[in-house]
Amino acid sequence: MPLANTDVAELLARAGADADGHRARAYLAAARTALLWEEEAADLVAQERPLTELERIGPSLARRVREWIERDEPVPEPPAVRRDFSGFAAARRTLAGAPERARVRGDLQMHTVYSDGAETVADMALEGAARGYDYVAITDHSKGLRVAGGIDEATLAVQAEEIAQVNRALSDEGVPLVVLHGLEMNIDLAGEGDMDPAALAGLDLVLGSFHSALRRAEDQTDRYLAALRNPLVDVIGHPRGRKFNNRLGLVADWGAVLEEAAALGKAVETDAFPDRQDLNRDILRIAADLDVWVSIGTDAHDTNEMRFVDVGIAAALEAGVPRGRILNHLSPDELARWRAERASVG
């Protein structure tokens, strides 16, 4: 088999570790970006197309990558910080062979100009409609994550009014999509959120996510159990907190964590952004075995990034997560009923 983009990413990362200065930065940036490429680099070589068509690949890197592909360069086992990732191009290929699984009804994590996103609620909604979605969930960061422009209770209320206006406009224009009002709430080490519970009462979905102490090496099982037991949290967002070649993510007894999620009817997310893929396939397989609900969110910060949903769908498919346990296959009414049932369990 020719080298996949994940293989190219690994070779680029290793070359970057051996280089200095701007060359190291170029290799490492290209390694991360290789996961985002829409086409396999090996396919471009086979078609005699220039590899400079690929993002972050200039003439010098193009020559190096072409050499690796033409020589079928052996690829060492990636270290844990780069293991169990898939490329966007590979995900699209997987879903092309499973069209019945390729469509989801919505995207359950994205950000707008209210926090650290680049586009408006209406922009994200219209992209969702263009993708054939029934809904999108706007989940901007909460106030505890200041570095990401997290919003407070007053701003959350203002956003609720804007989302209502957007939904009225979509309805008036005959656009069959509804914007769900969610929040990615910052969760501390004790599983507590940073928002007044009363401010969350009108929301459609609350993701609880860890954004601090993400490099701890010791077992964090108790931290996850506390977050799951928080009655305000519906979904644990990007649970491990990992990032490709940057952060390994947290360690836990995932069997125990996911058993608790199943018992409480809570969902765990697979963040579909290519350099996150969190939860990854290995842990998603445990979730599938335990019949845990899974939520797929792109973590998109602009409309272009919403395309990465395919990475999350492919991961769930390959991990054996049943379609009936993926929140994104529920209708808006079914999603609301799921939350109500979860609340009764919690």
Side-chain angles (χ1 to χ4, degrees), residues 31-340:
R32 173 191 175 274
T33 307
L35 301 180
L36 282 63
W37 293 338
E38 297 193 5
E39 296 182 83
E40 295 285 354
D43 289 344
L44 269 65
V45 170
Q47 297 163 18
E48 299 184 351
R49 291 163 56 192
L51 289 174
T52 51
E53 292 182 25
L54 300 171
E55 186 181 357
R56 294 279 185 176
I57 297 295
S60 177
L61 285 183
R63 287 191 294 271
R64 191 79 186 273
V65 172
R66 183 176 291 275
E67 289 173 1
W68 290 333
I69 292 172
E70 290 177 342
R71 292 202 314 258
D72 196 19
E73 184 82 8
V75 182
E77 177 72 15
V81 76
R82 298 194 293 270
R83 192 174 302 149
D84 199 16
F85 284 87
S86 179
F88 179 44
R92 295 180 70 181
R93 185 168 293 178
T94 294
L95 295 181
E100 75 284 356
R101 291 295 299 270
R103 184 184 182 275
V104 291
R105 303 183 77 162
D107 184 339
L108 291 175
Q109 189 193 161
M110 62 184 65
H111 302 273
T112 72
V113 292
Y114 273 92
S115 62
D116 58 343
E119 301 188 55
T120 67
V121 170
D123 292 332
M124 305 304 272
L126 291 174
E127 175 62 21
R131 297 185 63 85
Y133 289 162
D134 297 332
Y135 52 84
V136 295
I138 302 299
T139 57
D140 280 301
H141 290 289
S142 62
K143 63 184 181 183
L145 197 64
R146 293 182 182 179
V147 69
I151 59 178
D152 61 16
E153 291 84 352
T155 307
L156 186 68
V158 170
Q159 186 182 57
E161 295 176 1
E162 180 171 335
I163 287 174
Q165 291 171 1
V166 170
N167 278 329
R168 285 194 293 271
L170 292 171
S171 178
D172 290 346
E173 294 169 12
V175 178
L177 177 135
V178 62
V179 180
L180 303 179
H181 192 193
L183 183 72
E184 185 178 6
M185 183 169 65
N186 200 43
I187 299 293
D188 66 18
L189 274 64
E192 295 297 322
D194 61 347
M195 299 287 280
D196 181 346
L200 309 183
L203 296 183
D204 298 302
L205 192 70
V206 176
L207 279 64
S209 299
F210 298 120
H211 292 103
S212 60
L214 297 178
R215 298 182 185 274
R216 293 193 173 181
E218 63 270 22
D219 185 277
Q220 299 290 299
T221 301
D222 288 345
R223 183 174 171 182
Y224 287 102
L225 296 178
L228 284 166
R229 291 166 183 163
N230 184 325
L232 302 175
V233 172
D234 303 309
V235 179
I236 301 297
H238 49 67
R240 291 179 59 191
R242 74 170 188 164
K243 282 195 174 181
F244 178 82
N245 205 34
N246 176 271
R247 193 168 60 221
L248 179 60
L250 299 173
V251 177
D253 179 343
W254 291 107
V257 171
L258 293 168
E259 283 178 357
E260 185 71 2
L264 295 173
K266 300 286 182 90
V268 292
E269 182 186 54
T270 181
D271 186 313
F273 204 90
D275 72 352
R276 284 186 179 271
Q277 299 187 42
D278 175 16
L279 290 169
N280 53 298
R281 285 164 176 74
D282 285 348
I283 301 175
L284 282 173
R285 290 186 182 97
I286 302 173
D289 289 342
L290 294 173
D291 211 25
V292 177
W293 282 98
V294 171
S295 177
I296 300 171
T298 57
D299 207 351
H301 287 63
D302 60 48
T303 54
N304 186 50
E305 292 175 350
M306 289 171 68
R307 73 191 193 279
F308 294 136
V309 69
D310 290 352
V311 175
I313 301 170
L317 173 61
E318 292 169 358
V321 180
R323 181 186 179 97
R325 301 304 284 183
I326 297 174
L327 290 182
N328 309 65
H329 287 298
L330 301 182
S331 71
D333 287 343
E334 290 169 335
L335 187 61
R337 285 197 294 273
W338 170 80
R339 288 193 78 223

